[in-house]
Amino acid sequence: MSDAIAVVLAAGKGTRMKSELPKVLHPIAGRPMIHWAVDAVLDAGATRAVVVVGHARDAVEAALRARFGERVAFAVQDDPRGTGHAVRCAVEAPDAGLGDFDGPVLISMGDCPCVRPETLRALLAATGSRPFGMMSSRLDDPTGYGRLLRDADGTVVAIREQKDCSADEQAVKDVNPGIYVVRGDFLRRALSELRDDNAQGELYLTDLAATAAAAATGAEDRVVDVPGDLGELLGVNDRSQLATVRAVLQARINETLARGGVGIVDPAATYIDADCEVAPDARLSPGVHLRGRCRIGPGAHVDVGCVLEDVEVAAGAYLKPYTVANESTVGPDAKVGPFAHLRPGSELGPKVKVGNFCETKKTRIGEGSSVGHLAYVGDGEIGRGVNVGAGVIFCNYDGYRKHVTTLEDGAFIGSDSQLVAPVTVGAGAYVASGSTVTRDVPADALAVSRAKQVNKEGYASRLKARMKPKE
Ligand code: UD1
Ligand code: CA
């Protein structure tokens, strides 16, 4: 079998999505829908994918270039006149390479993201050098799909669109999922013969089935169909179907991870984007979202309700419930949360502790240091073995610029202190609770900056006596 070229149709607007975003760019597990469809055809062995674009073509092309580079080519269909017309645009596109290609052309739909590469490979193998092969499926409710009409031997002789079906044909539950393999020379000839004398006034790609069936002379060139699993052939026309498809693809990701040794307590309630990596023996509790490109190390535990995006969690780390983190790294055996917020550029070293209601941003925290309770550390450089007490604030912003706070190894910052950056607290130094530190603190020193305490004996009852008559 010669190498295949794929054509993926994605020119439609997706009106039923009722969305500003083009249908094929709606994200599913962190990737635009069209990435899934194009990934499948390339993984199936197609040398190139020619994507037919039209509606919002600049955005669709940019999204595809970003992931697939030169492995995708584009054909423009300005005026959508049907799926047959769309494939004609692909054949005529100068850099698609289909003008004189006589090998297999794998045609699929950009809104059919669940199909697996191995299924497409099976279709390519079954079709071989025949003019026309297709996937097929059976549906209890075939509404909206083209129906397969078969001869006495069960060979497909035509695909009838719903709107062109007679009452008898409407009842057929054997449907066209919209995935085909068509030999290049036959494709060009049959496309040129398409007519739009049908209920929708369109050029139907599906008419190729009847053309191939009529031209067949024997077993080796008759139409073949490969029955497919429903879960793979689901198309997305509206948001409800998008949700269904998302669940199918998420289940697939989670199953693969679980088989690889990841402890996923409740797969239906665990949301992991396709480009995340989770090591064996890591645990993910219900309600966890891993977005973008997270990497979770072996033995790490991401507990209930954590939402992480582009976060690296090293081996043995524990993210307690409801930690929210972006573009950050968590070192081995570190403990974070519950209810912590790691903003971009937070780099937590080994055995670091960041406790409840703490916010970190663009701060490196060295081994064994602790930021335990209700603190804000932004634009910081924190050494090893540092203790940042409850309610400490790094005052990093003067209204114009951000400044750095540096805490050297072993520094101890008492609770409720404010460190007004730029400022450095030297190694082993103490800052007394409730201090406002505006000047550098030398190593080994104690900084206190608060009014001396005065106790006025008996003041409280005198005050009460004075206030009483006024009530
Ligand atoms: C098509 C099939 C139908 C099949 C169904 C499976 C035809 C005539 N019918 O119907 O037999 O059961 O898919 O889902 O092929 N597109 C273009 N340009 C166009 C028209 C469509 O690029 O001019 C693209 C759309 O963006 C979409 C895909 O082709 O990605 C399918 O088009 P759609 O209008 O949804 O076809 P269906 O009516 O679903
Ligand atoms: Ca469709």
Side-chain angles (χ1 to χ4, degrees), residues 29 54 80 91 107 114 126 132 163 187 206 209 228 233 266 354 363 378 427 456:
V91 166
I107 302 173
C114 296
F132 189 88
K163 290 187 177 140
L187 179 66
T206 44
L233 302 171
D266 183 355
V354 172
T363 293
K456 300 189 175 177

Side-chain angles (χ1 to χ4, degrees), residues 204-280:
Y204 289 165
L205 181 62
T206 44
D207 284 350
L208 264 55
T211 311
T217 54
E220 59 301 325
D221 62 354
R222 81 182 146 74
V223 172
V224 289
D225 66 286
V226 174
D229 169 29
L230 257 185
E232 283 192 47
L233 302 171
L234 295 164
V236 176
N237 294 312
D238 58 31
R239 307 254 189 163
S240 153
Q241 291 168 324
L242 177 65
T244 305
V245 156
R246 192 211 64 80
V248 167
L249 291 171
Q250 188 66 72
R252 220 182 263 176
I253 291 169
N254 292 1
E255 188 183 335
T256 304
L257 289 172
R259 289 193 194 288
V262 177
I264 301 180
V265 178
D266 183 355
T270 308
Y271 306 85
I272 308 169
D273 282 357
D275 294 316
C276 293
E277 292 170 31
V278 188

Side-chain angles (χ1 to χ4, degrees), residues 16 23 109 111 235-237:
R16 283 168 283 177
K23 174 165 82 174
M109 307 285 162
D111 61 358
V236 176
N237 294 312

Side-chain angles (χ1 to χ4, degrees), residues 34 165 176 277 350-351 385:
I34 188 74
C165 278
N176 168 32
E277 292 170 31
K351 298 193 170 79

